[in-house]
C-alpha cells in the first residue's frame, strides 16, 4: 500500500488524515510502546526506466521499451491503429482536467460539480461528450478504438464501461493531479504496522476484541437497541448494544439477517453497490536482478539499459502490472527480494480465478519472462512458502471483492443512503466514503460515525472540541455532498 501527498500542502492532500493519524499514534505510543512506532519511507510510484510492453511490440532495435521511450514515439511504433492520435493519453488527461481544477479549488464543491455527470460511465463520457468535441472528424467506431487504447494503460479492462465517471475522476485525481507534484510514502516493514499501532491504545482502554467471530444477524429489540449474533469456534453467541458500528464489506453484510425496518435505500445500497475485483501475485527471487542494468544481469535488453528501483511496468499481458519494491533502497541488488509480479483489476483479475496458487506462480513467471527474459526462471525461489497469490474473490472475509468502486449513478443514488445511520446502526468503512479503496476512506468514515454518535447524544460540544484538534484539522468527510440523499 502507498499513500500520496502534496508536499507542503496538507490542505490539498486528500490523504492527510492518514499521515496525521500516524503522527498521533507515534506520539501516543512513544513512551510505553516505542516498538509500535510507524516509520514512513519514500515510495517510488513511477520510474522512467520501468518497462512498456503492449501489442507484442519492441523498439526497432529489438529492445524492450521503457516507459520513457514509449512516450517519445508514435502510435505506429507502439503497435496501435493509425486512427488513434499520438496524443491519445493526453486527450484523456484533457478530458479530466476541468474536474481536477474544480476539485483543487474546493474538493467538496468540486465533488458537487462532478456529481452532475454521475449518469455517465467513463466510456460514455469520453465517447458521447468529450471525443466528439475534440475529434469531430473521427467516426464513432474510431472513438471506441481510442478509448480501448486509453483504458488498457489507465485501469482494468472493462472499468470504463461498468464503473462510474465520478469515481474514475476521483481515483485518477488522487494519483496524478497535474496541477501539483504528488509525492508518495509507505510504511517501513509493511502496512500491517498501522493497525497494529492501535493495539496499545485498545489494551489500555480495556476494549474487548473478539477475534475469529462471524456475525450472522442483527436484530432490533423492543427497546430500540440492537442484538448482535455471532459464531465462534462452532458456538453461537449474542449480546445487546445501545448502538453498533458496521464496517464490514457489503459482500459479507448482504448474507446477514438484518432488521426488517431498514429503509429501502439502505437495502438497495447493500444489494447493489459495485465492488472492484483484483489479484496480486508475489514472487521471491534469489537476487533483485531487475535493479541491475540488463547488460549486467543477463535480462532482456531495454532501451535505457538501466536497472529499475521502484515504479511500475505496464503491459497488456495477463499480469498487466509489475510493481517494483521501494523497500530495498541502499541494499545490494545481490540480496534476495520479493516482486509484485502481477497486479490486475476487474475483468483482468477474473482471468486468474480458475487457477491454483502454484499455477498462478507459473503463469506470472511466463509473462514476466516475456518482458525480463529467462533470468526470471534462474533467479526464482520456488515453493508456496516463498511466494504468494492473493485473489480477493476467494476471500470470504471481504465478500468476494477487494474494495468498493461505484457504478454509473451510484455516487448520487447509493452513497448517501449507505452512509446514513438507521435503527441505532452506524455504517463505516471505505465503501461509505468517496475515497473508496483507500485507508483514508475508512478513517474518514470513522470520524463521521463518531460525529453522528456525539450529535445524536446531544454532545455537540464534544464534537466541536474533537474537530478542532490537530488530528482532525484537515478532515473532510464531504458530508454536505451526500446528507440530503
Amino acid at each position: 500500500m502507498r499513500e500520496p501527498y502534496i508536499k507542503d500542502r496538507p490542505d490539498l492532500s486528500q490523504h492527510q488524515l492518514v499521515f496525521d493519524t500516524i503522527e498521533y499514534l507515534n506520539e501516543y505510543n512513544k513512551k510505553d510502546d516505542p516498538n509500535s512506532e510507524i516509520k514512513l519511507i519514500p515510495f517510488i510510484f513511477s520510474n522512467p526506466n520501468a518497462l512498456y510492453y503492449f501489442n507484442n511490440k519492441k523498439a526497432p532495435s529489438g529492445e524492450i521499451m521503457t516507459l520513457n521511450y514509449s512516450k517519445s514515439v508514435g502510435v505506429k511504433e507502439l503497435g496501435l491503429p493509425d486512427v488513434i492520435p499520438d496524443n491519445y493519453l493526453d486527450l484523456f488527461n484533457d478530458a479530466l482536467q476541468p474536474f481536477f481544477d474544480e476539485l483543487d479549488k474546493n474538493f467538496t464543491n468540486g465533488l458537487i460539480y462532478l456529481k452532475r455527470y454521475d449518469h455517465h460511465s467513463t466510456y460514455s463520457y469520453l465517447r458521447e461528450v468529450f471525443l466528439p468535441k475534440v475529434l469531430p472528424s473521427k467516426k464513432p467506431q474510431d472513438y471506441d478504438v481510442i478509448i480501448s487504447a486509453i483504458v488498457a494503460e489507465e485501469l482494468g479492462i472493462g472499468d470504463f464501461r461498468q464503473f462510474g465517471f465520478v469515481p474514475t475522476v476521483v481515483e485518477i485525481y488522487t494519483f496524478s493531479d497535474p496541477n501539483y507534484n504528488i509525492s508518495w510514502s509507505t510504511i517501513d516493514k509493511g502496512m500491517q504496522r498501522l493497525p497494529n499501532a492501535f493495539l496499545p491504545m485498545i489494551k489500555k482502554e480495556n476494549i474487548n476484541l473478539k477475534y475469529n467471530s462471524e456475525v450472522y444477524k442483527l436484530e432490533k429489540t423492543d427497546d430500540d437497541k440492537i442484538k448482535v449474533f455471532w459464531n465462534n469456534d462452532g458456538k453461537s453467541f449474542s449480546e445487546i448494544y445501545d448502538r453498533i458500528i458496521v464496517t464490514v464489506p457489503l459482500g459479507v453484510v448482504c448474507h446477514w439477517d438484518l432488521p426488517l425496518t431498514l429503509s429501502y435505500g439502505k437495502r438497495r445500497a447493500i444489494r447493489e453497490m459495485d465492488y472492484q475485483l483484483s489479484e496480486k501475485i508475489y514472487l521471491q527471487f534469489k537476487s533483485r536482478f531487475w535493479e541491475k542494468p540488463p547488460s549486467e544481469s543477463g535480462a532482456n535488453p531495454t532501451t535505457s539499459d538501466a536497472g529499475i528501483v521502484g515504479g511500475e511496468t505496464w503491459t497488456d499481458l495477463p499480469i498487466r502490472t509489475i510493481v517494483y519494491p521501494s523497500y530495498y533502497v541502499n541494499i545490494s541488488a545481490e540480496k534476495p527480494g520479493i516482486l509484485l509480479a502481477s497486479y490486475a483489476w476487474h475483468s483482468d483479475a477474473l482471468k486468474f480465478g480458475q487457477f491454483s496458487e502454484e499455477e498462478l506462480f507459473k503463469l506470472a513467471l511466463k509473462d514476466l519472462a516475456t518482458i525480463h527474459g529467462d533470468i526470471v526462471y534462474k533467479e526464482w525461489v520456488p515453493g508456496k512458502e516463498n511466494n504468494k497469490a492473493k485473489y480477493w474473490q476467494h476471500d470470504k472475509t471481504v465478500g468476494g471483492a477487494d474494495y468498493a468502486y461505484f457504478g454509473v449513478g451510484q455516487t448520487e443514488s447509493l452513497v448517501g443512503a449507505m452512509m446514513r445511520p438507521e435503527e441505532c446502526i452506524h455504517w463505516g468503512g471505505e465503501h461509505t466514503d468517496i475515497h473508496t479503496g483507500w485507508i483514508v476512506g475508512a478513517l474518514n468514515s470513522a470520524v463521521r460515525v463518531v460525529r453522528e454518535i456525539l450529535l445524536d447524544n446531544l454532545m455537540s460540544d464534544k464534537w466541536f472540541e474533537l474537530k478542532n484538534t490537530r488530528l482532525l484539522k484537515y478532515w473532510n468527510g464531504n458530508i454536505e455532498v451526500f446528507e440530503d440523499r
Side-chain angles (χ1 to χ4, degrees):
M1 189 68 181
R2 61 277 203 239
E3 290 295 326
Y5 65 96
I6 300 173
K7 188 176 181 180
D8 300 324
R9 291 301 305 269
D11 56 315
L12 289 176
S13 297
Q14 294 301 309
H15 295 242
Q16 186 60 36
L17 182 57
V18 179
F19 296 98
D20 291 341
T21 299
I22 289 172
E23 181 181 304
Y24 178 87
L25 289 170
N26 282 343
E27 182 63 28
Y28 183 92
N29 293 325
K30 181 169 60 175
K31 181 179 178 181
D32 296 330
D33 291 275
N35 290 333
S36 295
E37 180 187 7
I38 299 170
K39 181 182 177 183
L40 293 172
I41 60 174
F43 180 88
I44 305 169
F45 180 71
S46 60
N47 188 326
N49 294 314
L51 305 178
Y52 177 98
Y53 188 78
F54 285 80
N55 309 306
N56 299 316
K57 295 294 288 187
K58 299 179 181 179
S61 61
E63 298 167 323
I64 301 290
M65 300 182 201
T66 62
L67 290 177
N68 201 40
Y69 180 92
S70 72
K71 295 174 182 178
S72 68
V73 299
V75 295
K76 183 177 181 180
E77 193 166 339
L78 298 178
L80 294 169
D82 57 11
V83 299
I84 299 175
D86 287 338
N87 67 334
Y88 67 103
L89 291 179
D90 291 334
L91 285 175
F92 183 54
N93 293 330
D94 292 343
L96 306 187
Q97 185 63 52
F99 302 100
F100 292 166
D101 292 340
E102 293 298 322
L103 292 168
D104 275 339
K105 291 175 188 175
N106 180 285
F107 187 84
T108 299
N109 290 339
L111 195 53
I112 293 171
Y113 171 73
L114 177 59
K115 275 208 311 175
R116 300 176 189 174
Y117 299 87
D118 195 38
H119 61 287
H120 276 293
S121 66
T122 308
Y123 169 80
S124 69
Y125 181 80
L126 292 175
R127 195 182 195 277
E128 299 170 12
V129 179
F130 182 75
L131 290 178
K133 182 172 62 177
V134 297
L135 299 173
S137 63
K138 294 286 186 182
K139 299 176 182 178
Q141 57 265 36
D142 293 339
Y143 300 146
D144 285 335
V145 178
I146 295 169
I147 294 170
S148 177
I150 293 171
V151 72
E153 295 193 37
E154 289 290 343
L155 291 171
I157 301 300
D159 280 358
F160 276 19
R161 290 180 181 267
Q162 175 172 339
F163 297 119
F165 181 60
V166 172
T168 298
V169 173
V170 173
E171 177 82 348
I172 295 177
Y173 173 77
T174 298
F175 275 97
S176 57
D177 181 354
N179 297 330
Y180 297 92
N181 291 322
I182 305 292
S183 299
W184 295 81
S185 289
T186 190
I187 293 177
D188 191 24
K189 298 181 175 64
M191 297 301 292
Q192 184 60 37
R193 292 188 64 82
L194 176 56
N196 287 352
F198 284 91
L199 288 175
M201 183 185 302
I202 290 171
K203 292 176 181 177
K204 187 175 182 179
E205 298 296 329
N206 294 317
I207 297 172
N208 182 22
L209 293 180
K210 294 179 172 66
Y211 292 103
N212 302 312
S213 299
E214 295 188 24
V215 172
Y216 64 90
K217 183 178 181 179
L218 305 179
E219 180 180 86
K220 182 181 177 182
T221 65
D222 292 338
D223 55 351
D224 291 330
K225 295 183 179 181
I226 293 294
K227 190 174 185 179
V228 180
F229 297 79
W230 70 90
N231 292 320
N232 185 298
D233 195 24
K235 299 179 181 179
S236 294
F237 301 87
S238 65
E239 196 164 335
I240 295 175
Y241 299 89
D242 293 327
R243 296 173 183 269
I244 67 167
I245 303 168
V246 177
T247 63
V248 179
L250 300 183
V252 176
V253 173
C254 70
H255 294 288
W256 294 356
D257 293 327
L258 298 169
L260 299 178
T261 49
L262 286 183
S263 69
Y264 174 80
K266 181 71 73 179
R267 289 182 174 275
R268 179 188 173 198
I270 293 171
R271 181 175 65 249
E272 295 183 8
M273 189 169 283
D274 279 332
Y275 272 71
Q276 177 72 286
L277 302 176
S278 63
E279 63 77 30
K280 291 182 177 180
I281 303 173
Y282 294 90
L283 300 179
Q284 184 174 165
F285 294 91
K286 301 170 189 173
S287 72
R288 302 191 308 281
F289 63 86
W290 58 86
E291 295 185 3
K292 307 174 187 177
S295 58
E296 294 181 15
S297 68
N300 282 343
T302 69
T303 52
S304 70
D305 192 35
I308 307 170
V309 179
E312 300 175 350
T313 279
W314 289 86
T315 178
D316 58 359
L317 296 174
I319 56 171
R320 295 296 272 129
T321 311
I322 305 167
V323 182
Y324 303 95
S326 301
Y327 292 100
Y328 302 119
V329 175
N330 299 323
I331 298 175
S332 170
E334 299 297 333
K335 299 291 185 180
I338 296 174
L339 180 68
L340 178 48
S342 174
Y343 189 13
W345 305 271
H346 196 53
S347 58
D348 292 322
L350 274 174
K351 296 163 187 172
F352 289 93
Q354 68 270 38
F355 298 106
S356 68
E357 196 169 28
E358 290 89 346
E359 288 172 326
L360 290 174
F361 300 155
K362 293 178 181 178
L363 289 171
L365 280 169
K366 178 173 73 73
D367 287 353
L368 202 60
T370 300
I371 295 172
H372 279 289
D374 288 342
I375 189 172
V376 302
Y377 293 111
K378 299 175 183 176
E379 293 294 315
W380 182 49
V381 182
K384 289 184 68 172
E385 68 277 12
N386 301 309
N387 304 272
K388 181 66 178 177
K390 178 68 176 179
Y391 188 67
W392 271 267
Q393 198 170 12
H394 294 162
D395 189 335
K396 64 182 294 187
T397 65
V398 298
D402 190 358
Y403 55 88
Y405 203 110
F406 306 138
V408 177
Q410 291 189 347
T411 304
E412 180 72 16
S413 63
L414 300 185
V415 178
M418 194 65 249
M419 293 168 63
R420 187 166 49 246
E422 294 183 13
E423 304 295 3
C424 301
I425 305 173
H426 299 264
W427 301 83
E430 52 85 24
H431 54 281
T432 67
D433 188 75
I434 194 63
H435 294 292
T436 60
W438 292 96
I439 293 171
V440 74
L443 293 179
N444 278 342
S445 74
V447 177
R448 172 180 51 78
V449 167
V450 169
R451 176 183 180 272
E452 291 168 359
I453 294 172
L454 290 176
L455 295 183
D456 283 355
N457 284 278
L458 305 179
M459 301 171 68
S460 58
D461 56 329
K462 292 294 184 183
W463 162 247
F464 290 117
E465 180 183 332
L466 179 62
K467 179 64 178 74
N468 289 325
T469 61
R470 170 68 183 87
L471 175 61
L472 299 187
K473 182 177 181 179
Y474 299 107
W475 173 75
N476 181 4
N478 299 295
I479 296 172
E480 55 267 50
V481 179
F482 303 105
E483 59 185 356
D484 294 328
R485 290 288 168 184

